[in-house]
């Protein structure tokens, strides 16, 4: 059984410049995902991909002989580029399974990789890590072009008074931490979401996906909190 893990990290972050190498609790953000993946001992190949020479050099220097370095072409690193296109660029059918992990999700543990890998068996096509939605979508509110509110959901909970969150479905969302699929299925579907996909649950406190300074500060707080415990 051969498994390849792909870790993509663009250099052109707009909302939080240089976030992938920004020091999170004294360690570059990208190191958390790479460390957890290496320590899980679940992957035969770990491929780190970036178009940014500075990011590549940092990873190559620190993780020499532990990860493969891929210089991503610029057309796969534009603002409108999709991660799945980089995955398909790096897919290799000599690997039985292809995995993806976004470095902007730094609070995953090596045990998350271990547990997710163990769940990808012959009975499923793929695995995606999930966490709870912060607020029931059925309790959402829309506004029209004049700013007037209306219920998002057809059941109109705010008009009927059915507003207790406990009375609404517990909806999950992808958290960006871990994706895995049998390579032959991924080659066919070109999507981690198509097929018989099993969810791997992760709690919200380990599901921060860093997009801006607030996310970064929250992740740093949680890392310090857990370390103190």
């Amino acid at each position: 059984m051969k498994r390849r893990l792909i870790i993509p990290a663009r250099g052109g972050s707009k909302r939080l410049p240089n976030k992938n190498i920004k020091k999170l609790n004294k360690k570059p953000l990208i190191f958390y995902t790479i460390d957890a993946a290496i320590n899980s001992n679940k992957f035969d190949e770990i491929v780190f991909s970036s178009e940014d020479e500075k990011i590549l050099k940092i990873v190559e220097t620190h993780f020499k002989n532990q990860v493969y370095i891929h210089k991503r072409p610029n057309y796969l690193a534009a603002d409108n580029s999709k991660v799945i296109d980089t995955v398909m660029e790096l897919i290799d059918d000599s690997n039985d399974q292809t995995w993806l992990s976004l470095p902007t999700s730094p609070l995953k543990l090596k045990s998350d990789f271990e547990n997710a890998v163990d769940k990808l068996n012959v009975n499923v096509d793929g695995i995606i890590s999930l966490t709870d939605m912060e607020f029931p979508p059925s309790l959402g509110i829309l506004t029209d072009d004049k700013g007037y509110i209306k219920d998002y959901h057809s059941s109109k909970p705010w008009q009927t008074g059915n507003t207790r969150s406990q009375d609404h479905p517990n909806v999950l969302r992808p958290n960006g931490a871990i994706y895995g699929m049998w390579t032959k299925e991924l080659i066919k579907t070109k999507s981690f979401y198509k097929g018989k996909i099993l969810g791997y649950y992760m709690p919200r406190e380990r599901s921060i996906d860093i997009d801006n300074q607030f996310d970064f500060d929250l992740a740093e707080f949680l890392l310090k909190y857990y370390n103190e415990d």
Side-chain angles (χ1 to χ4, degrees), residues 131-137 165 170-173 204 207-208:
T131 195
D132 301 287
M133 291 281 280
E134 288 76 5
F135 194 74
S165 60
N170 181 32
V171 180
L172 303 176
R173 63 169 177 81
R204 279 178 56 191
S207 295
I208 295 173

Side-chain angles (χ1 to χ4, degrees), residues 26-46:
K26 301 181 180 180
K27 188 165 80 170
L29 174 62
I30 50 178
F31 283 17
Y32 287 89
T33 295
I34 299 172
D35 281 336
I38 290 172
N39 292 333
S40 74
N41 292 314
K42 286 292 187 178
F43 304 104
D44 301 278
E45 299 175 356
I46 298 174

Side-chain angles (χ1 to χ4, degrees), residues 55-168:
I55 296 176
L56 291 173
K57 187 64 176 177
I58 289 172
V59 172
E60 186 175 27
T61 300
H62 191 84
F63 296 100
K64 190 173 183 179
N65 301 323
Q66 292 180 290
V67 301
Y68 294 90
I69 299 298
H70 171 253
K71 176 68 163 62
R72 196 187 316 184
N74 288 332
Y75 71 88
L76 289 176
D79 288 342
N80 60 350
S81 298
K82 297 178 180 179
V83 173
I84 190 62
D85 293 331
T86 294
V87 172
M88 299 313 296
E89 171 89 358
L90 291 169
I91 204 164
D92 180 349
D93 61 10
S94 68
N95 293 283
D96 301 283
Q97 297 176 358
T98 299
W99 291 79
L100 166 69
S101 185
L102 304 183
T104 50
S105 172
L107 301 183
K108 55 186 168 286
L109 307 173
K110 74 180 185 72
S111 59
D112 290 315
F113 281 119
E114 292 164 354
N115 295 334
V117 166
D118 289 344
K119 285 180 177 291
L120 184 49
N121 55 48
V122 294
N123 297 314
V124 298
D125 296 325
I127 300 285
I128 289 179
S129 58
L130 306 172
T131 195
D132 301 287
M133 291 281 280
E134 288 76 5
F135 194 74
S138 51
L139 286 174
I141 287 180
L142 299 175
T143 58
D144 63 20
D145 56 359
K146 294 183 179 180
Y148 293 107
I149 69 168
K150 60 181 179 179
D151 284 283
Y152 166 73
H153 196 259
S154 59
S155 66
K156 299 182 178 181
W158 292 104
Q159 294 186 46
T160 63
N162 181 28
T163 58
R164 288 199 336 144
S165 60
Q166 303 96 310
D167 296 333
H168 290 260

Side-chain angles (χ1 to χ4, degrees), residues 7-21 29-30 48-53 55-56 72-83 86 102-104 211:
I7 302 174
R10 284 200 317 126
S13 174
K14 297 291 193 298
R15 295 184 184 90
L16 186 60
N18 300 311
K19 69 178 178 183
N20 281 307
I21 52 176
L29 174 62
I30 50 178
F48 182 84
S49 176
S50 180
E51 89 293 357
D52 190 290
E53 294 285 358
I55 296 176
L56 291 173
R72 196 187 316 184
N74 288 332
Y75 71 88
L76 289 176
D79 288 342
N80 60 350
S81 298
K82 297 178 180 179
V83 173
T86 294
L102 304 183
T104 50
D211 183 54

